[in-house]
Amino acid sequence: MKKRIDVVAGEQSFNNLSRFNELEEMNKTVRVYKDTIITSVKRVDVQARLISLLELLKRHSCKQLGVSYMCKNTIAGKLEISYKTVQRLMKKLEQLGMIYQVPMKRKTDMLQTSNAVLIVPIEDMTDKTTSKESKKCPAIKTTTNSLKQNINNKRNDVPVSQNKVVKSFSKANFIAHWVPERFADLTSCYYNESQTIQELWKVVKQCNRVVNYATSERAFTPQQELNIGIRAFKEFVMKVKDNKKMQNKFGYFNGIVNNLMDKLYFDQNFLECF
């Protein structure tokens, strides 16, 4: 038996469903969820698709923070996967407690329309986990205030030294600003280290040679360069999946990028597209 749909799609409804106060809060939540997917999902291809879906939902959840309302066919088209695959990925993210779908109906005819997809804040996910664990271990009881107090006491007891600050900075893993966002999003599905992602983009930049030293003009425009980099990395991933032997991944990737650039430099259709 179908459940009754009570929520009418509209800006006010989407605003009411939002659980985030700031954009950075939502971005931080998604970063944590991406790490969780990598550690909890065994299959690399499923990891990549789940992360791509989560990133897509995040990008379309900025107007009403944490709430997106794209139909599944649109999502399937953007991710270049089937409708059924989108359904399975959505179900998996729901099982992991990262998203929640709210059935919606249109205001015009009151018939069902696309679900609103909510990104669940970390606090809500943590509360559910804590409540499950508390049933198993009723003797253990900790509150948020006591945890904060303990942390503050520890901070006050330990003097902050320059060495500790430097040590904490060394753990930072930000991707450099000069790496295009689309390339960073794709490669971060497979590599966690920012240094690796940056080296891969350097390979693309180095392969795009200067053809006119007087004007510093290169063989490809930045947009063409990005497109080639993404295509080359996808080909690189397929080679890795096929267990292709490679002594140096950067050297192998360099060969793929060079071959693509040699091929596309004389491809008029490609050059006219960008």
Side-chain angles (χ1 to χ4, degrees):
M1 183 177 178
K2 280 190 174 182
K3 290 183 180 180
R4 179 180 167 182
I5 302 174
D6 297 317
V7 186
V8 179
E11 189 170 349
Q12 187 59 48
S13 300
F14 298 134
N15 285 332
N16 293 337
L17 289 170
S18 178
R19 299 185 188 177
F20 294 98
N21 297 318
E22 296 179 358
L23 181 62
E24 181 53 35
E25 186 185 351
M26 181 180 72
N27 290 338
K28 181 182 177 183
T29 297
V30 172
R31 286 195 293 269
V32 171
Y33 286 167
K34 284 165 70 174
D35 291 338
T36 304
I37 289 169
I38 291 169
T39 55
S40 60
V41 179
K42 291 182 179 178
R43 285 181 53 179
V44 177
D45 57 332
V46 178
Q47 284 180 15
R49 285 180 172 179
L50 286 171
I51 290 172
S52 297
L53 174 57
L54 196 58
E55 279 289 337
L56 183 65
L57 293 174
K58 182 194 77 173
R59 288 199 298 272
H60 288 79
S61 301
C62 294
K63 190 175 181 182
Q64 287 85 22
L65 290 177
V67 182
S68 60
Y69 31 90
M70 280 188 299
C71 69
K72 290 185 175 66
N73 280 323
T74 303
I75 294 172
K78 287 181 177 293
L79 296 180
E80 299 181 351
I81 55 178
S82 69
Y83 179 88
K84 289 288 185 183
T85 303
V86 173
Q87 285 184 313
R88 287 195 295 270
L89 294 174
M90 285 280 195
K91 188 176 179 181
K92 182 64 178 176
L93 287 178
E94 281 190 299
Q95 289 171 351
L96 291 169
M98 297 175 182
I99 65 167
Y100 178 72
Q101 296 189 70
V102 178
M104 310 289 284
K105 59 184 177 184
R106 287 188 292 268
K107 189 177 182 179
T108 51
D109 54 13
M110 292 300 168
L111 294 177
Q112 185 172 6
T113 185
S114 305
N115 293 344
V117 182
L118 280 62
I119 299 174
V120 180
I122 298 172
E123 293 78 11
D124 292 8
M125 189 179 176
T126 308
D127 290 343
K128 289 179 184 178
T129 310
T130 307
S131 62
K132 287 179 183 177
E133 290 176 354
S134 61
K135 290 178 183 177
K136 296 179 183 178
C137 310
I140 301 171
K141 188 176 181 181
T142 54
T143 63
T144 309
N145 290 333
S146 64
L147 285 171
K148 285 181 179 177
Q149 190 175 359
N150 289 336
I151 291 167
N152 288 332
N153 289 338
K154 286 180 181 177
R155 285 177 179 171
N156 292 333
D157 292 341
V158 181
V160 179
S161 65
Q162 184 65 22
N163 289 337
K164 286 188 177 178
V165 174
V166 172
K167 204 173 269 187
S168 63
F169 279 10
S170 66
K171 294 177 183 177
N173 194 35
F174 304 117
I175 299 172
H177 67 90
W178 41 264
V179 179
E181 188 177 349
R182 280 181 61 198
F183 188 83
D185 286 345
L186 175 64
T187 50
S188 62
C189 295
Y190 301 90
Y191 292 105
N192 296 325
E193 292 294 326
S194 59
Q195 189 64 33
T196 303
I197 295 169
Q198 287 162 196
E199 287 300 323
L200 288 168
W201 181 246
K202 282 182 185 177
V203 169
V204 179
K205 293 292 291 181
Q206 288 166 2
C207 290
N208 188 11
R209 295 180 177 85
V210 177
V211 292
N212 188 337
Y213 286 95
T215 60
S216 298
E217 181 188 354
R218 292 183 177 270
F220 297 96
T221 65
Q223 192 61 35
Q224 292 167 345
E225 184 181 73
L226 174 59
N227 184 273
I228 291 170
I230 290 170
R231 288 171 64 172
F233 186 76
K234 287 180 179 178
E235 185 178 334
F236 174 76
V237 170
M238 297 308 296
K239 296 294 184 184
V240 174
K241 284 178 69 176
D242 292 339
N243 295 320
K244 198 79 174 177
K245 289 184 179 179
M246 51 183 79
Q247 292 180 347
N248 184 312
K249 60 175 173 282
F250 300 114
Y252 197 90
F253 182 62
N254 183 83
I256 294 175
V257 176
N258 263 328
N259 288 337
L260 256 179
M261 286 188 172
D262 288 345
K263 178 183 175 182
L264 295 174
Y265 187 69
F266 300 100
D267 189 333
Q268 200 61 35
N269 290 330
F270 172 79
L271 297 174
E272 289 174 356
C273 283
F274 302 96

